[in-house]
Amino acid sequence: MADSEVFTSVDSLREALQSENNDSKTGFFPTMGALHHGHLALVKKVFEHADVVVVSIFVNPTQFNNPDDLKKYPRNLQKDIDLLKTAGKVLVFAPTVEEMYPSSYKELELDLGALGTVMEGKFRDGHFNGVVNVVNRLFEIVEPDLAFFGMKDFQQLAVIQFMVNQFSLPVEIVPCEIIREESGLASSSRNARLSEKDKEEAVVLSTSLRIAKELSGVFPPIKVKEIINEIIGRSSLELEYFEIVHPKTLLSISEWMPGSQACIAAYCGDVRLIDNMQLTEF
Ligand code: PAF
């Protein structure tokens, strides 16, 4: 096990980063903790691309539109740190809310257009404003050369890339494949709140996406949406949305195109889960 270091203040993290070799590449993976094997796989990927690896663990309150969801979000810092140590020497940044948002903090304003209003944006008011603010603040603190984001949060990835382009931020965004359980269920910190039975039922999300992919060569998007709505309707999950969208604009499409993307969100009990899949080749 390598010695990872944990920093709770911006100054201490910056001091550590400044003591690194000037030529070293910093790879950054922002997280909200409750780390699982999917995160670990991603941290290993960061190690392949960077000399200095920074992982932040911060449950960002400003991106939760539902206070109950924020309260119930799984937290286990010590377990997270122990898991990260198994990957190598990681600089762990685990700030407090006050450290991230001091009274002098000035909120970043960015009009995301449709990217911020469809799907997650429609159901989680203010969510992406919170994400954009926290990620921009973390980028200012860490100044990474590369930043890694999981593709499970497909819309978040599009939003972050948009922010980076809009502000010409000097960071390369590296999208990372979705890590799945053997059952097909997308790995997520929220899975920690699912019982074994819930997990079995939640598999309908990935199954539906796979069915949608198979049907993409057979039926138009509208018909595929209808079929998937029916399948989820017969399950115990409560569907929030199933959309087939343009891979860049994230607007709903009525005809297949290269890289057509399906995105889904549903409640399994009181746990909100999301997943997505590329349905057609680029
Ligand atoms: O994807 C997440 O875990 C969060 O949205 C992020 C990017 C760490 C910002 O809080």
Side-chain angles (χ1 to χ4, degrees):
M1 271 197 195
D3 274 325
S4 291
E5 283 178 88
V6 183
F7 303 89
T8 52
S9 75
V10 172
D11 288 349
S12 59
L13 176 73
R14 291 197 56 88
E15 203 178 303
L17 287 170
Q18 271 151 20
S19 70
E20 294 291 341
N21 190 325
N22 271 348
D23 299 332
S24 55
K25 248 193 185 160
T26 303
F28 176 47
F29 176 29
T31 82
M32 297 207 297
L35 305 181
H36 49 72
H37 70 108
H39 289 109
L40 202 61
L42 209 150
V43 173
K44 286 181 184 154
K45 183 163 176 177
V46 187
F47 270 104
E48 284 167 23
H49 291 81
D51 313 297
V52 179
V53 175
V54 182
V55 173
S56 62
I57 297 176
F58 178 65
V59 183
N60 175 36
T62 69
Q63 70 187 75
F64 285 80
N65 58 322
N66 175 348
D68 199 43
D69 196 22
L70 172 62
K71 206 168 100 204
K72 288 186 179 154
Y73 200 85
R75 294 166 171 88
N76 197 334
L77 184 58
Q78 193 50 55
K79 206 167 146 218
D80 290 345
I81 293 167
D82 293 343
L83 189 68
L84 288 173
K85 276 184 188 164
T86 65
K89 185 183 171 210
V90 176
L91 305 189
V92 182
F93 182 47
T96 58
V97 174
E98 293 71 29
E99 192 68 21
M100 282 298 285
Y101 302 117
S103 51
S104 57
Y105 180 73
K106 210 172 157 312
E107 200 174 306
L108 180 80
E109 286 188 20
L110 176 62
D111 182 0
L112 295 168
L115 280 187
T117 54
V118 297
M119 300 192 289
E120 292 299 287
K122 186 161 155 202
F123 287 92
R124 302 180 74 188
D125 194 25
H127 170 67
F128 286 122
N129 188 39
V131 169
V132 157
N133 269 273
V134 76
V135 172
N136 184 62
R137 169 95 175 112
L138 287 164
F139 282 177
E140 273 171 13
I141 296 167
V142 179
E143 294 184 354
D145 298 291
L146 304 161
F148 296 72
F149 290 86
M151 283 165 63
K152 185 169 80 68
D153 295 287
F154 188 79
Q155 191 172 1
Q156 168 171 280
L157 190 58
V159 163
I160 304 287
Q161 189 62 70
F162 178 79
M163 173 183 83
V164 166
N165 295 346
Q166 285 298 104
F167 296 126
S168 306
L169 301 181
V171 56
E172 184 188 332
I173 302 300
V174 186
C176 302
E177 290 296 322
I178 300 178
I179 307 288
R180 297 184 181 278
E181 313 283 323
E182 234 174 272
S183 64
L185 179 67
S187 296
S188 163
S189 302
R190 288 167 194 262
N191 294 355
R193 292 180 51 212
L194 299 176
S195 67
E196 285 311 309
K197 187 164 175 288
D198 289 339
K199 279 190 186 165
E200 277 169 29
E201 291 182 7
V203 169
V204 70
L205 293 181
S206 54
T207 314
S208 302
L209 289 167
R210 275 212 320 275
I211 293 172
K213 189 171 177 160
E214 277 161 27
L215 295 182
S216 64
V218 186
F219 297 118
I222 189 154
K223 180 71 184 161
V224 174
K225 276 174 76 170
E226 213 179 286
I227 296 169
I228 301 303
N229 270 276
E230 264 172 42
I231 294 175
I232 304 285
R234 285 198 300 269
S235 78
S236 64
L237 269 69
E238 202 178 311
L239 185 66
E240 231 175 29
Y241 64 79
F242 172 78
E243 295 289 352
I244 299 177
V245 299
H246 184 290
K248 291 274 177 283
T249 65
L250 305 192
L251 292 174
S252 203
I253 53 173
S254 52
E255 284 182 18
W256 297 112
M257 62 172 53
S260 303
Q261 182 76 26
C263 298
I264 193 164
Y267 276 91
C268 181
D270 66 346
V271 184
R272 188 175 187 278
L273 300 170
I274 59 170
D275 200 351
N276 68 81
M277 196 173 279
Q278 185 188 314
L279 301 187
T280 57
E281 295 300 315
F282 270 107

